[in-house]
């Protein structure tokens, strides 16, 4: 019944979008200014230095038109936006050399993506938003439509559904502000990626990249004209890589293909369709052993390099996990064949479109729609939270008293060294099938000169069908590319299986969720001389319905001597259902004053909401809607020698639910709030007048954020087993640095063959805490990257880039399985950024 209702809603939303596009296409529209025209700027009172042309897409250009976070037809010039927005062209994205799509978000001051786990699964922190993991306050959009209506599900954030390639024209990163009114109403960061389209003159490029980590990558794009007013493009990438953390098989393998079709209606508007197919598999890395000699100090653990190490290996790539019990003596439990090379991958298709039309009498219509569906699966090792110990100590602590043991490497049967250090890692399997359809419709009318009223609706229908088998702990050597270890006891019992498993699934979940969101919003903008005022209100309703299969715990093979699967969780008949429905408002008021044509100030206040995700509701079906209160002021300035964009903010959260699972399995739930004040800054200086090609860019964030309104004493358990309690009040927001900054000097100059550009980027990440009570200091770190580009003639380009050139250890997360102090005996389970990586690209443009 749930599936049928969801299917009807998916079809209804998609059909409505297509019908709207077809109907509006058939209208006889009265010619009017096209929707891509930027609002006219008022005459300046003084004569400032001339800004770059308005069509120059540059992150440091206040004349650039941005379309994210605004209902204005054709967008707004950046100087007129009364909110924080960072933009980047395709060339600027390339020069930033992000490790992943999540890593690119560092371009927006105040955003800290923990991209240390690989291409996918990044925890993304937005300054002042108490996330503490995953990416609940980050939405990825494609041409203005969310890729998936919920920003985060377990084992799936929006960034994992997206890869960067040459089909991207530019990116717009908006922090809060009026974005709470549009799309899925994200109060945190909205990252909107705009696709390249065809042009009158066919253009394109082909690039080949080789990386020091054994990477080979092919990129390409071609945009062309089909007929009068009809344009198309096609492009994408394919690559495979051993990875900086080489698991002895392809760490990354896959690619993406994107196509667009555009039709222009002259001055009346345009319609554009796109399709994007992504199939990419990536190794995912969690905590590894690292020496922790002092608070916030970290060194390499013997045998395991924190910069290049991984628990993946040829010896454990292919396994079979037991999931289904059998009750006949000697039978074999059912289960799943796993291949670690499948990793945390994406196999999804996105199709959608944008319609923009301008009618007579100052009427404008805009519609954006998207459908995304496919699989977002995970097969990866996850930390069990236990520090390494010798194999003999592990056996003594887990085998019956008085028994001896025979230990062997499962790949070759050779005896295992009892004095070597070993660890256990959970081999987790998550099968996730998703579908989501969204449609956002705007209708605008100029009420009087300078005043525009917009009414709109956003509707999303989506589902998520999951099967999880977590646990499956495997006994491994505590070193890079380890062998699994089997252990047979002298009494005939098997402690570790012939594949190295010491447990079966500790968590088994099969669930089906369906969601429906609809929101109506009304906004008004008023251009009054040098002032631009805007205000809006949104009312949104979320409905979520879930069906969760029942489970039981016991022996999978009816054999008490196979200790490794005696206490496993498995699925049984029957279901538990959860139904949820809430309605909540959002609103915003902003004002921008253009002091002169190259300088403006603004102020904004807004309230946003964050609805619970499916996984939140499984844990607490009565989850409240989080309310986010934001206040900000900003200043923008541009001259020949300086670009400056500064934003000061204060953010307040209320009634955030949190649940701790203690060592004895008992759960403790409570609510908390938070209060944060801070400054985002983005500046570019050209300090030498006679050398215009030399500039220094500096961006970053200072944040002072603390927990408030928490329980008087929150219980926790340390890694050593000690129990205690502490108040969250006044503690620094989890995993967020008080200060982070990036300094990039660059020099571009002409040559006899074309031009060259060189740059260095020094990044600093301040101290953070891995938990909520400041018991896990993660320390500070800095890293250095470089880049060089040579443009040869009109067609050739060579790019050489490198990251973390000094091989700095930079901890992004501590032992996420524990609430309290994670260090014991000088060892912590944590995750560092990746080590040095250098790549060389040769590109031909035509």
């Amino acid at each position: 019944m749930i599936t049928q209702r969801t299917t009807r809603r998916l079809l209804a939303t998609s059909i409505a979008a297509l019908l709207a596009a077809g109907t509006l296409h058939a209208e006889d529209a009265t010619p009017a200014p096209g929707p891509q025209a930027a609002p006219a700027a008022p005459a300046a009172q003084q004569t400032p230095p001339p800004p770059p042309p308005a069509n120059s897409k540059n992150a440091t250009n206040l004349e650039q038109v941005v379309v994210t976070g605004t209902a204005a037809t054709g967008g707004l010039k950046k100087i007129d936006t009364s909110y924080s927005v960072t933009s980047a062209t395709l060339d600027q994205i390339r020069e930033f050399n992000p490790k992943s799509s999540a890593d690119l978000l560092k371009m927006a001051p105040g955003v800290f993506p923990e991209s240390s786990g690989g291409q996918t699964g990044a925890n993304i922190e937005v300054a002042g938003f108490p996330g503490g993991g995953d990416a609940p306050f980050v939405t990825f959009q494609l041409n203005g439509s969310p890729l998936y209506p919920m920003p985060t599900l377990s084992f799936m954030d929006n960034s994992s559904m997206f890869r960067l390639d040459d089909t991207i024209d530019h990116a717009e990163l908006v922090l809060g502000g009026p974005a709470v009114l549009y799309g899925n109403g994200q109060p945190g960061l909205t990252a909107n990626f705009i696709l390249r389209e065809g042009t009158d003159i066919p253009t394109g490029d082909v690039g080949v990249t080789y990386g020091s980590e054994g990477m080979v990558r092919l990129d390409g794009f071609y945009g062309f004209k089909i007929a009068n007013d009809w344009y198309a493009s096609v492009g994408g990438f394919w690559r495979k890589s051993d990875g900086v953390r080489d698991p002895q098989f392809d760490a990354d393998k896959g690619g993406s293909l994107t196509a667009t079709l555009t039709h222009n209606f002259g001055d009346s508007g345009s319609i554009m369709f796109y399709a994007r197919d992504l199939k990419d598999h990536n190794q995912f890395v969690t905590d590894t052993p690292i020496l922790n000699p002092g608070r916030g100090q970290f060194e390499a653990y013997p045998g395991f390099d924190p910069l290049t190490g991984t628990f993946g290996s040829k010896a454990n790539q292919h396994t079979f996990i037991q999931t289904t019990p059998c009750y006949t003596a000697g039978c074999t439990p059912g289960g799943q064949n796993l291949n670690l090379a499948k990793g945390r991958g994406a196999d999804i298709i996105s199709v959608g479109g944008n319609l923009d039309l301008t009618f007579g009498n100052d009427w404008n219509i805009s519609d954006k729609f998207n459908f995304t569906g496919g699989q977002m699966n995970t097969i990866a090792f996850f930390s069990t939270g236990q520090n390494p110990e010798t194999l003999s100590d592990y056996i003594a602590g887990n085998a019956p008293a008085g028994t001896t043991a025979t230990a062997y490497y499962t790949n070759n049967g050779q005896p295992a060294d009892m004095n070597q250090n070993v660890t256990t890692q959970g081999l987790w399997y998550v099968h996730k099938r998703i579908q989501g359809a969204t449609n956002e419709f705007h209708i605008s009318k100029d009420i009087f000169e300078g005043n525009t009223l917009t009414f709109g609706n956003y509707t999303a229908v989506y589902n998520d069908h999951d099967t999880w088998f977590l646990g499956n702990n495997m006994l491994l050597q505590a070193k890079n590319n380890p062998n699994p270890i089997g252990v047979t006891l002298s009494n005939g019992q098997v402690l570790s299986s012939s594949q190295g498993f010491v447990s079966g699934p500790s968590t088994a979940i099969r669930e089906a969720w369906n969601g429906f969101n609809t929101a109506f919003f009304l906004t008004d903008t008023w251009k009054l001389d040098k002032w631009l005022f805007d205000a809006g209100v949104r009312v949104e309703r979320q409905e979520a319905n879930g069906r969760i299969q029942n489970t039981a715990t016991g022996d999978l093979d009816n054999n008490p001597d196979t200790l490794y699967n005696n206490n496993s969780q498995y699925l049984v008949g029957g279901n538990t259902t959860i139904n949820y429905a809430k309605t909540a408002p959002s609103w915003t008021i902003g004002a921008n004053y253009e002091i002169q044509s190259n300088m403006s100030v603004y102020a904004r206040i807004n309230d946003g909401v964050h609805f619970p995700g499916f996984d939140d509701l499984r844990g607490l079906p009565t989850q409240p809607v989080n309310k986010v209160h934001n206040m900000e002021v900003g200043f923008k300035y541009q001259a020949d020698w300086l670009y400056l964009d500064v934003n000061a903010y204060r953010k307040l959260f209320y009634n955030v639910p949190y649940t701790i699972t203690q060592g004895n399995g008992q759960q403790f739930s409570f609510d908390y709030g938070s209060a944060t004040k801070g400054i985002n800054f983005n500046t570019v200086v050209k300090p030498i007048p006679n050398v215009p090609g030399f500039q220094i860019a500096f961006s970053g964030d200072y944040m002072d954020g603390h927990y408030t309104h928490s329980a008087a004493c929150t219980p926790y358990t340390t890694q050593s087993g000690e129990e205690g309690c502490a108040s969250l009040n006044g503690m620094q927001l989890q995993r967020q640095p008080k200060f982070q900054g990036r300094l990039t000097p660059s020099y571009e100059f002409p040559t006899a063959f074309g031009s060259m550009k060189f740059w260095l980027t020094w990044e600093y990440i301040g101290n953070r805490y891995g938990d909520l009570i400041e018991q896990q200091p993660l320390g500070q770190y800095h890293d250095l990257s470089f880049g060089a580009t040579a443009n040869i003639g009109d067609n050739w380009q060579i790019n050489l880039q490198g990251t973390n050139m000094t091989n700095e250890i930079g901890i992004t997360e501590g032992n996420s399985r524990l609430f309290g102090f994670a260090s014991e005996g000088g060892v912590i389970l944590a995750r560092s950024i990746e080590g040095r990586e250098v790549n060389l690209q040769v590109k031909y443009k035509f």
Side-chain angles (χ1 to χ4, degrees), residues 433-447:
R433 181 164 53 89
I434 61 167
Q435 287 182 318
T438 66
N439 190 79
E440 183 172 349
F441 178 78
H442 294 206
I443 182 167
S444 301
K445 176 71 168 69
D446 291 348
I447 305 302

Side-chain angles (χ1 to χ4, degrees), residues 472-658:
N472 311 304
N473 296 341
M474 184 180 288
L475 184 61
L476 300 169
Q477 295 172 300
K479 69 172 191 175
N480 185 43
N481 303 135
N483 288 313
I485 298 172
V487 179
T488 301
L489 303 179
S490 57
N491 62 1
Q493 294 180 326
V494 181
L495 179 64
S496 175
S497 76
S498 59
Q499 296 184 104
F501 287 113
V502 294
S503 82
S506 58
T507 300
I509 294 177
R510 180 170 292 146
E511 58 185 355
W513 286 94
N514 300 279
F516 173 74
N517 285 55
T518 189
F520 292 91
F521 51 86
L522 183 69
T523 69
D524 186 80
T525 60
W526 188 11
K527 184 73 173 178
L528 186 62
D529 192 25
K530 292 186 175 185
W531 288 93
L532 179 62
F533 300 96
D534 73 271
V537 63
R538 168 187 173 117
V539 178
E540 180 174 4
R541 180 169 179 81
Q542 173 176 291
E543 298 177 7
N545 304 281
R547 183 184 69 244
I548 305 169
Q549 188 170 337
N550 294 338
T551 61
T553 300
D555 190 357
L556 292 181
D557 61 1
N558 198 31
N559 181 357
D561 289 334
T562 52
L563 302 178
Y564 58 86
N565 63 13
N566 283 354
N567 191 34
S568 301
Q569 189 172 98
Y570 52 88
L571 301 168
V572 297
N575 296 283
T576 300
T577 59
I578 295 175
N579 298 300
Y580 179 89
K582 291 285 186 181
T583 301
S586 301
W587 58 268
T588 186
I589 300 174
N592 186 83
Y593 181 71
E594 190 172 313
I595 300 171
Q596 54 187 43
S597 62
N598 67 331
M599 184 189 309
S600 65
V601 293
Y602 67 86
R604 178 168 297 278
I605 184 171
N606 66 265
D607 266 8
V609 297
H610 175 72
F611 285 95
F614 295 147
D615 301 291
D616 300 321
L617 296 175
R618 185 188 339 107
L620 185 61
T622 58
Q623 285 264 353
V625 177
N626 294 161
K627 296 188 181 299
V628 186
H629 185 64
N630 174 66
M631 297 164 281
E632 58 185 315
V633 294
F635 174 73
K636 300 186 181 86
Y637 175 74
Q638 183 174 1
D640 286 340
W641 66 279
L642 176 67
Y643 171 87
L644 181 64
D645 187 349
V646 180
N647 169 277
Y649 59 84
R650 180 167 173 78
K651 303 181 190 299
L652 303 174
F653 270 75
Y654 304 98
N655 301 321
V656 181
Y658 192 86

Side-chain angles (χ1 to χ4, degrees), residues 106 225 246 268 318 340 356 365 370 416 472 560 678:
K106 292 187 295 190
K225 182 176 181 178
D246 185 358
S268 300
H318 297 281
L340 269 177
D356 293 286
I365 287 178
N370 174 278
N472 311 304

Side-chain angles (χ1 to χ4, degrees), residues 343-360:
R344 192 166 186 169
D347 189 354
I348 59 173
I349 294 177
S350 295
V351 295
N354 295 64
L355 174 69
D356 293 286
L357 289 178
T358 298
F359 297 89

Side-chain angles (χ1 to χ4, degrees), residues 196-204 221-227 229-235 258-264 271-274:
R196 294 169 74 181
E197 301 177 35
T199 52
D200 283 312
I201 300 175
T203 58
F221 174 82
Y222 183 53
F224 53 96
K225 182 176 181 178
I226 300 176
D229 297 323
W230 284 94
Y231 303 90
S233 71
V234 62
T258 302
T260 70
L261 178 65
T262 305
H263 179 56
N264 291 332
I271 187 169
M272 177 265 202
F273 300 94
Y274 60 84

Side-chain angles (χ1 to χ4, degrees), residues 691-694 746-758 789-791:
V691 187
F694 177 71
S746 64
Y747 181 44
E748 184 174 12
F749 56 93
T751 67
F753 55 79
S755 66
M756 294 196 71
K757 183 176 182 178
F758 298 93
T789 291
N791 291 297

